[in-house]
């Protein structure tokens, strides 16, 4: 619950007298609107999730990279009417520079690839887990930040790259106990759209705008989608035909309409063939309505969805062969995906797959004699030197308090530095799970 406005409520002094100068008005202890704190329990779950992101990235031979959360606003200024642009968390800094908290990671990756130029050999396989931001009117009460896992392959033009990326996510789901009965991937290609729009002589420069409008299907009324499409200059017939094609759910049907010679059908057939050979075809399905909401995709696009249809897209990605050249870089093909840290947790909760993650310390070390606090610190440093975790009791506390804390921090062992034992260079050890206790020489403590 949020703390009341400090000026409206009195926290000290009698109701009649104003708060005395030295009494602090209580600050708002909640994090800024739309952001989250990660206290220990939530941080353990986040770390567990990110460890799985990282382990899958390692299995696929990807190298970790990172970029500033703050970027030049110019990196994200695209004219295709994307929501990500409307919600850009941007401002002018003290140097009068237009900057933004990154809403996504791909433009930063593109920037770094261009910066590295010939000093990096292709293909690049990079991954990152980074916080991304949006500034959304809190009327919708949605989050303004989330962490995204991204994997990107730069320098491979064939759909083997997309197949590899989708399979990486399949492996991630499997690691968490999520199966193809729980989730699937809708796969399509923006080349489907391209080939339709060409049939209707829609100018190429409208391609991004049309994709963004189509991505709104299912989120806004169909009539509004039609109206927005017509506002780009598309005829009623073109809009009708486009929507007809977007409803196709079978590759065979798509081939009937587009023919076999186009790149869209060829790419998709190859991708599905790779999925078949790799053994994850039951995870993916063709769905022409998938376009994704980022203007820079140029080919295969895909999104992970929950089969119960309760959640928004779990992850999404695709090919963005022109992004580097739009930033002034070479014309290098690339593809990647983003996977947010929030929807997946909702899915794990739904499926009862949230892991039990408890905090644990191997040792709690204490001395009951204040004169032996230094000795206790020495024992702690010996154990830490052996790679063991130690919670060192830092103040003189009664044994009852120590046992209570030992239970709280889930300690395995209690090491007691007592006066008589210490005179014999011994310490007392109590195994807290069994109650077994014994004395041991300091240099035999392991
Ligand atoms: N792009 C973006 C950023 C932050 C959140 Br929360 N969602 C989407």
């Amino acid at each position: 619950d949020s703390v009341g406005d400090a000026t409206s409520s009195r926290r000290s002094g009698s109701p009649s007298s104003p708060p005395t100068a030295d009494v602090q008005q209580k600050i708002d202890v909640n994090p800024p609107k739309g952001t989250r704190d990660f206290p220990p329990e939530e941080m353990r779950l986040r770390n567990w999730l990110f460890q799985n992101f990282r382990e899958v990235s390692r299995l696929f031979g990807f190298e970790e990279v990172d970029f500033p959360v703050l970027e030049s606003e110019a990196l994200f200024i695209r004219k295709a009417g994307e929501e990500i642009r409307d919600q850009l968390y941007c401002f002018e800094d003290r140097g009068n520079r237009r900057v933004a908290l990154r809403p996504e990671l791909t433009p930063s990756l593109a920037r770094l690839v261009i910066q590295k130029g010939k000093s990096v050999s292709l293909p690049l396989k990079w991954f990152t887990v980074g916080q991304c931001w949006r500034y959304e009117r809190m009327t919708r009460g949605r989050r303004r930040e989330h962490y995204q896992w991204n994997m990107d392959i730069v320098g491979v033009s064939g759909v083997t790259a997309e197949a590899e990326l989708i399979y990486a996510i399949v492996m991630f789901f499997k690691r968490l106990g999520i199966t193809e009965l729980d989730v699937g991937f809708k796969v399509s290609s923006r080349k489907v759209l391209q080939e339709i729009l060409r049939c209707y002589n829609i100018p190429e420069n409208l391609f991004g705008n049309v994709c963004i409008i189509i991505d709104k299907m299912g989120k806004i009324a169909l009539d509004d989608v039609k109206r927005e499409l017509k506002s780009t200059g598309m005829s009623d017939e073109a809009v009708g035909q486009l929507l007809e094609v977007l409803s196709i759910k079978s590759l065979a049907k798509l081939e009937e309409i587009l023919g076999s010679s186009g790149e869209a059908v060829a790419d998709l057939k190859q991708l599905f063939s790779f999925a078949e050979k790799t053994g994850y075809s039951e995870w993916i399905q063709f769905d022409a309505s998938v376009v994704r909401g980022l203007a820079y995709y140029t080919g295969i696009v895909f999104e992970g969805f929950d089969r119960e249809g309760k959640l928004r897209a779990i992850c999404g990605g695709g090919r963005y062969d022109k992004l580097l050249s739009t930033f002034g870089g070479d014309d290098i093909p690339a593809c990647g995906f983003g996977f947010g840290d929030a929807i997946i947790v909702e899915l794990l909760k739904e499926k009862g797959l949230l892991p039990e993650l408890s905090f644990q310390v191997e040792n709690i070390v204490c001395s009951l004699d204040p004169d032996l606090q230094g000795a206790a610190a020495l024992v702690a440093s010996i154990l830490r030197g052996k790679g063991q975790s130690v919670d060192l009791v830092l103040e003189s506390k009664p044994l009852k308090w120590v046992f209570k804390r030992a239970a709280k921090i889930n300690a395995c062992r209690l090491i007691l530095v007592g006066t008589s034992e210490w005179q014999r260079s011994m310490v007392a050890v109590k195994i807290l799970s069994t109650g077994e206790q014994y004395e041991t020489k300091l240099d035999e403590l392991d």
Side-chain angles (χ1 to χ4, degrees):
D1 57 337
S2 68
V3 172
D5 176 344
T7 53
S8 64
S9 63
R10 294 186 182 290
R11 286 177 179 64
S12 63
S14 63
S16 57
S17 63
T20 50
D22 62 343
V23 173
Q24 283 294 318
Q25 288 293 349
K26 187 176 175 187
I27 58 161
D28 179 351
V29 291
N30 293 300
K33 284 185 185 312
T35 69
R36 299 165 292 175
D37 292 317
F38 286 88
E41 186 178 352
E42 285 78 3
M43 196 63 199
R44 282 197 289 276
L45 178 62
R46 176 175 133 183
N47 283 335
W48 169 82
L49 191 66
F50 290 12
Q51 274 146 18
N52 278 285
F53 288 158
R54 290 198 161 85
E55 177 57 10
V56 169
S57 303
R58 186 190 68 81
L59 291 174
F60 279 71
F62 279 58
E63 293 181 281
E64 185 164 12
V65 293
D66 195 8
F67 326 99
V69 176
L70 185 74
E71 284 278 12
S72 161
E73 183 189 46
L75 220 53
F76 311 109
I77 300 293
R78 300 188 291 260
K79 307 232 176 332
E82 296 154 285
E83 182 181 68
I84 207 165
R85 167 84 182 80
D86 302 338
Q87 298 176 342
L88 196 57
Y89 209 130
C90 53
F91 55 96
E92 191 160 303
D93 73 8
R94 291 172 183 266
N96 303 106
R97 293 177 202 84
R98 291 296 307 169
V99 289
L101 298 182
R102 65 190 177 197
E104 55 167 330
L105 296 158
T106 309
S108 301
L109 179 132
R111 174 180 62 70
L112 183 58
V113 170
I114 297 169
Q115 179 200 128
K116 288 296 177 191
K118 300 277 183 283
S119 71
V120 287
S121 65
L122 300 178
L124 283 178
K125 297 178 182 180
W126 287 354
F127 84 93
T128 188
V129 182
Q131 192 175 37
C132 296
W133 293 82
R134 68 183 171 196
Y135 191 89
E136 190 174 65
R137 297 273 162 259
M138 277 320 274
T139 42
R140 293 174 64 177
R142 291 204 299 175
R143 275 171 297 102
R144 284 184 174 156
E145 54 77 25
H146 72 171
Y147 285 82
Q148 250 196 38
W149 170 41
N150 278 218
M151 289 177 83
D152 290 84
I153 299 174
V154 179
V156 175
S157 54
V159 298
T160 47
E162 289 93 320
E164 183 81 333
L165 292 175
I166 293 172
Y167 190 47
I169 308 173
V170 166
M171 283 201 71
F172 172 79
F173 281 133
K174 285 182 169 182
R175 289 174 62 88
L176 272 53
I178 293 166
T179 75
E180 70 281 8
L181 302 178
D182 302 314
V183 303
F185 292 88
K186 292 174 184 170
V187 182
S188 184
S189 171
R190 287 211 167 159
K191 291 177 184 174
V192 171
L193 261 175
Q194 226 158 15
E195 289 171 27
I196 294 291
L197 296 180
R198 277 193 195 124
C199 295
Y200 287 89
N201 304 315
I202 309 291
E204 286 280 329
N205 67 336
L206 281 177
F207 177 62
N209 300 61
V210 169
C211 290
I212 299 315
I213 295 167
I214 288 163
D215 184 59
K216 297 176 187 174
M217 277 175 67
K219 300 164 193 167
I220 66 173
L222 185 59
D223 283 349
D224 292 338
V225 170
K226 289 178 179 173
R227 186 174 339 100
E228 289 193 31
L229 286 172
K230 287 176 197 160
S231 73
T232 68
M234 288 180 71
S235 67
D236 287 357
E237 186 203 355
V239 169
Q241 172 68 10
L242 179 61
L243 294 178
E244 171 74 24
V245 169
L246 291 174
S247 66
I248 297 174
K249 307 277 187 239
S250 98
L251 257 185
K253 180 91 172 90
L254 184 76
E255 192 166 7
E256 269 176 41
I257 294 189
L258 292 185
S260 314
S261 58
E263 286 185 19
V265 169
D267 285 353
L268 286 160
K269 285 169 84 170
Q270 198 181 16
L271 182 73
F272 278 82
S273 159
F274 282 126
E276 180 73 38
K277 294 186 177 79
T278 315
Y280 67 89
S281 37
E282 66 279 9
W283 288 77
I284 65 172
Q285 63 199 56
F286 172 70
D287 184 329
S289 68
V290 174
V291 286
R292 298 299 296 161
L294 294 169
Y296 50 64
Y297 287 131
T298 56
I300 294 286
V301 283
F302 55 87
E303 68 188 28
F305 70 99
D306 77 293
R307 295 191 187 277
E308 287 192 37
K310 288 183 181 171
L311 306 171
R312 294 192 311 284
I314 302 164
C315 57
R319 177 162 290 279
Y320 51 94
D321 284 347
K322 297 296 175 206
L323 184 61
L324 278 83
S325 53
T326 60
F327 285 170
D330 294 337
D331 205 6
I332 303 174
C335 58
F337 69 78
F339 195 123
D341 71 327
I343 308 294
I344 183 64
V345 169
E346 288 179 46
L347 180 69
L348 290 168
K349 279 177 187 159
E350 280 282 323
K351 303 293 178 187
L353 288 171
L354 280 181
E356 287 282 318
L357 302 166
S358 58
F359 179 66
Q360 174 129 79
V361 168
E362 287 157 289
N363 304 277
I364 179 165
V365 174
C366 74
S367 66
L368 300 181
D369 174 349
D371 295 341
L372 289 177
Q373 185 62 37
L378 170 64
V379 171
S381 70
I382 290 168
L383 288 169
R384 287 164 178 162
K386 295 169 187 278
Q388 292 197 29
S389 57
V390 176
D391 176 86
L392 176 60
V393 177
L394 299 170
E395 298 159 309
S396 188
K397 293 288 184 184
L399 202 49
K400 189 163 178 287
W401 182 96
V402 175
F403 276 109
K404 202 170 170 193
R405 178 165 176 84
K408 182 94 175 72
I409 63 173
N410 213 358
C412 302
R413 285 192 318 185
L414 166 61
I415 313 286
L416 204 53
V417 181
T419 312
S420 62
E421 293 90 347
W422 191 249
Q423 280 159 0
R424 292 176 284 115
S425 300
M426 306 283 276
V427 290
V429 180
K430 186 178 179 94
I431 308 301
L432 294 165
S433 55
T434 61
E436 178 201 356
Q437 52 191 30
Y438 54 90
E439 285 188 354
T440 176
K441 273 198 166 310
L442 190 55
D443 55 13
E444 288 166 11
L445 190 57
D446 56 7

